[in-house]
Amino acid sequence: MTEYEQLTDLVVADRREEADGVVSLTFRRADGTELPAWEPGAHLDLLLGEGLERQYSLCGDPADLGTWRVAVLREPAGRGGSAHVHERLTVGAPVRARGPRNHFRLRPAPGYRFVAGGIGITPILPMLAAAEAAGAEWTLLYGGRTRASMAFRDELAARYGDRIQIRPQDETGLLDLAAGLGEPRPDTPVYCCGPGPLLDAVEAYCAESGRPGPYTERFQPKAADPDARDTRFELVLARSGLTLAVAADTSVLDAVRTAGAEVLFSCTEGTCGTCETDVLEGVPDHRDSLLTAGERAAGETMMICVSRCRGERLVLDL
Ligand code: FES
């Protein structure tokens, strides 16, 4: 069993209102022992009961092995995960977690340009501390609907001063990326987390301006490629010794589960990374929202909940 497959029983040790609609929760292990280590960019799956699972970025201090902290935006139009957290996870409440897992690592660099939109500030918070500790030159451009909706803004301004640009949309409009990020430098990548339209804008801006990155984490899946075609292919599960036919209207994950093979999954929309599986033969047709261009080209792993096969045969390490 990998570390990611381990489940940890937690209790809520502290809970704070961080902004309009945002609470932070600090967890301790239920038995009081140390928690697994993590690095900036990591997230947890919180198993909220009755099949409800949600991913939340860790936003505390990685050096503190006694607690984990997440912050959760209440989404009235959501599917129930954030409402459950806001209504039921009071101090002392038990909750089970899977993880941490990290698809948004901070790579060593002499400088960084961080961009956060709304609750997308959460994975960026520990990245700022890590960049600071490493002596990197960095800035943060932080947008939100209103100042009152932007979690941790006072903490950030007090700690980091004018390296933080707070840009509430009702005061300053949409983020001005060119003005906020300054001159592009080849050794200063962009890291961004926030709503899909912001990530799309940052990706387009980096491509146009020649900036390295962006490295992003998405909470919602990217728009589907309208030209993508779903075709039938043969799937070999190397460890299980099974050969399956994946129909055009079936996902790899569903085919694997129907065959009875053990596989972990959570979001089923290509954003969390839980179902990442090693590819032994064949070319994946990547449709997830988290692998980098380099990882896609390498084709060594794939998210089997959404990705398919470019050819007629795929062999997976399952
Ligand atoms: S289950 Fe989340 S990426 Fe596949």
Side-chain angles (χ1 to χ4, degrees), residues 7-241:
L7 300 175
T8 305
D9 286 313
L10 305 168
V11 290
V12 179
D14 192 20
R15 175 185 163 113
R16 296 178 189 212
E17 305 290 326
E18 301 288 356
D20 285 353
V22 179
V23 292
S24 69
L25 301 174
T26 299
F27 302 114
R28 290 188 189 284
R29 207 196 264 272
D31 63 9
T33 58
E34 282 192 346
L35 292 161
W38 59 282
E39 293 180 355
H43 70 253
L44 295 177
D45 294 344
L46 286 189
L47 313 186
L48 300 169
E50 296 165 14
L52 200 58
E53 293 189 23
R54 291 293 182 272
Q55 289 74 43
Y56 297 108
S57 296
L58 285 162
C59 64
D61 177 2
D64 177 1
L65 296 179
T67 66
W68 283 339
R69 182 175 73 159
V70 301
V72 179
L73 169 67
R74 183 173 192 130
E75 300 186 71
R79 292 173 293 159
S82 67
H84 181 106
V85 169
H86 275 249
E87 290 164 16
R88 303 216 201 151
L89 294 192
T90 51
V91 171
V95 64
R96 182 167 279 184
R98 188 192 299 124
R101 186 176 185 85
N102 200 342
H103 280 281
F104 191 38
R105 286 181 196 286
L106 190 66
R107 293 147 172 91
Y112 303 97
R113 293 292 172 267
F114 297 106
V115 181
I119 196 65
I121 190 64
T122 49
I124 302 290
L125 274 183
M127 289 188 176
L128 303 183
E132 185 76 0
E137 183 275 321
W138 62 267
T139 61
L140 166 67
L141 183 60
Y142 180 16
R145 283 180 297 105
T146 64
R147 194 170 287 269
S149 74
M150 297 171 69
F152 309 112
R153 65 188 184 285
D154 294 338
E155 176 182 324
L156 285 167
R159 190 162 173 198
Y160 298 119
D162 60 8
R163 276 179 293 171
I164 310 289
Q165 302 174 60
I166 306 274
R167 297 286 183 267
Q169 192 175 341
D170 64 340
E171 297 175 26
T172 57
L174 292 176
L175 289 180
D176 182 339
L177 296 172
L181 298 181
E183 278 298 301
R185 288 177 40 178
D187 60 357
T188 302
V190 176
Y191 281 71
C192 180
C193 184
L198 172 64
L199 297 179
D200 293 342
V202 170
E203 283 181 353
Y205 170 73
C206 286
E208 281 164 22
S209 63
R211 283 185 175 275
Y215 298 103
T216 60
E217 179 155 84
R218 289 180 181 263
F219 298 140
Q220 295 97 20
K222 283 184 184 178
D225 177 355
D227 296 327
R229 293 283 169 269
D230 295 346
T231 55
R232 181 183 188 281
F233 57 94
E234 183 180 274
L235 177 65
V236 179
L237 308 183
R239 272 191 275 150
S240 313

Side-chain angles (χ1 to χ4, degrees), residues 55 253 264-276 288 290 303-306:
Q55 289 74 43
L253 176 62
L264 277 177
F265 63 97
S266 183
C267 71
T268 67
E269 55 184 20
T271 57
C272 75
T274 308
C275 69
E276 184 171 14
D288 64 90
L290 41 79
M303 305 306 149
I304 62 171
C305 61
V306 289

